Amino acid sequence: NVSLTSKEFSILKLLFENKGKIITRERIIHMLWGYDSDVDERTVDTHIQQLRKKLDLKDKLVTVPKYGYRLNTCVSERGVN
């Protein structure tokens, strides 16, 4: 049984909805915190790190340096393995 925070769940949902596409940190912030937010990009990085750890997504949730993140298309909604 895995427990996710609401932000972790929202980020994961956004990544699943865009499997195989690069999602920028800026877009994640705008979608989840709003355009007027002063949330730092490192906050997104921390949430991503927690998702990788909690769901064993180390090889499936990849960092695109200086851009954002991509959830590889080999991940299914039925299971992350």
Side-chain angles (χ1 to χ4, degrees), residues 19-67:
K19 280 190 294 185
K21 298 177 185 174
I22 299 170
I23 305 298
T24 65
R25 289 174 179 88
E26 182 178 277
R27 180 169 176 212
I28 293 171
I29 291 170
H30 290 172
M31 296 287 292
L32 301 177
W33 282 273
Y35 283 98
D36 295 332
S37 174
D38 59 352
V39 170
D40 189 86
E41 289 184 354
R42 303 309 284 165
T43 300
V44 175
D45 297 342
T46 300
H47 284 294
I48 293 291
Q49 183 181 26
Q50 289 301 311
L51 283 170
R52 284 181 178 137
K53 182 178 177 181
K54 289 179 178 183
L55 300 174
D56 193 26
L57 292 173
K58 183 177 72 173
D59 297 327
K60 297 172 180 101
L61 178 49
V62 298
T63 301
V64 180
K66 298 184 182 189
Y67 197 70

Side-chain angles (χ1 to χ4, degrees), residues 1-10 12-13 47 50-51 54-55:
N1 195 4
V2 176
S3 179
L4 299 178
T5 68
S6 62
K7 289 297 184 197
E8 289 168 349
F9 182 82
S10 296
L12 186 63
K13 182 177 183 276
H47 284 294
Q50 289 301 311
L51 283 170
K54 289 179 178 183
L55 300 174

